[in-house]
Amino acid sequence: MLASEGVTPRFFRAFRTTLLHLTDSLRTPRSHLDRHTLALTALTRVLFLYFIQSKGWLDGDSRYVAHLLDRALASRRHFHRSFLHALCFGALNRPAAQRSHAARALGSIPFLNGGLFEPSLLERQHGPAVWSNADWRDAFDSLFERFHFSVREHDAGDFVAPDMLGRVFEGVMDPDERRASGSYYTPASLVREMVRAGLEAALTHRFGISPGAAARWVHERIAPCPAPNLRGLTVLDPAAGSGAFLLGTLDELVALRCAAGEAPALAVKRDVLAHSLFGVDLTPTAVRLTELRLWLALVADQDEADVSRVAPLPNLDGHVLQGDALLDPVMLAASLGGRAFRGGAAEVRRLAAARHKHFLLAGPEKRAAQVELDRAEAVLAGRLLDEGSSALEAAIAERLGAARNRDLFGRRRGLDSEQRQRLQRLHQAWRELRAARRKLRQEGATPFFSFEAQFADVMHHGGFDLVVGNPPWVRAERLPQRVRETLATRYSCWQPAPTRGFAHLPDLAVAFTERAIELARPGGVVAL
């Protein structure tokens, strides 16, 4: 462990330098943040390749990627277009029988599926980002070839291991993105203790296990007899960041279920991912990093030497989503309109079935399942938007009616300044819902994230058993004025004190705590 701690700062410095160089080498898009994200996406893919080649999965060559670059340089071919693109998008994301001649020429490569080997939204918008052979040679010489890689978390020795990635990626986030998101690294020891404490409480409250028995199961791996079925236990990190809490929860739930007699561990791990873990983050970079670490956790447990028998990675984009966990138009309408909105039982069942189906599939079947999942989400979103609009219209009519009422002297009561502000917020929220509804009709895809739409099946049962994570810490003065006003409207705890200046405003984490309590089911647990 001491050796790996020494590797982390050296790897971080090399990674940051390489990332900055690749970012500056791109001429398009114009946004520095977009170029930074594209460069980080490319480095993430190569980093994943280095992890899996350490298992011998890339044509049995532990230096396969570097040798590809050597081949490109020797033959004066473009490494990125001719080799890296073919490897990621022509081999790793396609079954062997469906690969092109160029992809088959790359050797014995497993079919891994997974969203890492599909163009990101930014790549679809701007086209693939491509770097020169000289850029990649510098990246390999200054970064990848300077370190040894191990796919197992916490491996002893002088290795770069997946558990380092949270600290590294948090450090190389674009400064503006980091300030806006309030992302901060959480030490692994603290993650473990928070997850264990949360699960211990959840076992007691959800399954009626005595505190002593729950503690023995969590800390000593002594399961009660009979042990409850943990397959239905749901855990959310509403600010996933680097994925540390979801990864820690994955490890702990697998250990609990294996202690209760379930096996093999890899099958249990996949089942936990399919049914128990959910995450949200505001930034696409954080979502991609979370997916990467969860995929690596699956890769680490596969000791299959025959790459044709390596199990493809599951699709996590139905479980880890980009979105704003704090503010969405549906919940704002619910708070202003005075009532909650929920999808119908049939719609909720359709969503749950579509997500589970999408989790397992690949190729054309995966694309069809994605369309089915998008439709299920859109149906729920449309219903929520319609209900929200109706509730806001009723609230607006009620306030206008009260303003028209006359007092004992025959004068109209009117509205005071606070009531006018409230009415203005109602109108603004109603306009936002109507705009979202129009966009939904035009595009067919849900134009916002909402727990009541994307995770409607969990919310239909009251919410999550455990909400765990490190909330974003953002000072109020860094938030736009409109966001501060919306937070004050939406959250009862996020209220300014009656003093001047920014010191009287609460941190964004206060609103996150209130939201976490809302998202937990009755009797659920919040560990932030």
Side-chain angles (χ1 to χ4, degrees), residues 92-206:
L92 287 163
N93 74 336
R94 293 187 183 182
Q98 300 176 13
R99 294 174 187 172
S100 66
H101 175 75
R104 290 196 298 271
L106 293 172
S108 180
I109 307 295
F111 166 53
L112 290 184
N113 193 27
L116 186 63
F117 304 113
E118 293 180 354
S120 67
L121 176 61
L122 204 56
E123 289 171 320
R124 292 195 297 270
Q125 290 173 341
H126 298 283
V130 177
W131 287 269
S132 68
N133 284 2
D135 288 330
W136 280 116
R137 183 183 57 208
D138 291 344
F140 278 60
D141 290 344
S142 61
L143 175 61
F144 295 110
E145 288 298 300
R146 288 180 55 195
F147 299 92
H148 300 290
F149 292 80
S150 172
V151 77
R152 296 190 180 277
E153 300 261 353
H154 314 299
D155 247 1
D158 196 17
F159 292 105
V160 173
D163 56 316
M164 300 179 188
L165 298 184
R167 186 179 301 180
V168 170
F169 276 75
E170 184 270 333
V172 300
M173 285 180 67
D174 182 85
D176 293 336
E177 184 180 19
R178 181 178 174 183
R179 281 193 295 270
S181 64
S183 301
Y184 293 94
Y185 173 74
T186 309
S189 58
L190 180 57
V191 170
R192 182 174 58 253
E193 292 307 313
M194 289 179 64
V195 169
R196 287 184 173 182
L199 287 174
E200 190 176 334
L203 291 174
T204 299
H205 293 291
R206 168 74 189 276

Side-chain angles (χ1 to χ4, degrees), residues 10 66 72 93 260 264 268 341 371:
R10 290 189 287 116
N93 74 336
V268 176
F341 314 126
V371 171

Side-chain angles (χ1 to χ4, degrees), residues 227-305:
N229 184 0
L230 300 186
R231 197 182 199 200
L233 189 75
T234 54
V235 181
L236 168 73
D237 184 348
S242 66
F245 283 92
L246 289 180
L247 190 67
T249 305
L250 175 64
D251 290 341
E252 293 298 323
L253 281 177
V254 170
L256 291 176
R257 290 176 59 171
C258 288
E262 294 188 56
L266 180 58
V268 176
K269 185 171 285 189
R270 284 178 170 268
D271 196 69
V272 170
L273 283 172
H275 295 97
S276 294
L277 298 189
F278 300 86
V280 180
D281 200 276
L282 196 59
T283 68
T285 301
V287 171
R288 180 54 59 92
L289 175 57
T290 298
E291 291 177 330
L292 172 67
R293 295 187 70 185
L294 293 173
W295 282 324
L296 285 172
L298 292 177
V299 168
D301 284 350
Q302 292 196 61
D303 295 323
E304 184 61 62

Side-chain angles (χ1 to χ4, degrees), residues 9-26:
R10 290 189 287 116
F11 181 73
F12 164 71
R13 288 192 294 269
F15 193 97
R16 180 176 59 184
T17 300
T18 303
L19 175 61
L20 293 175
H21 174 73
L22 293 184
T23 300
D24 293 340
S25 297
L26 284 178

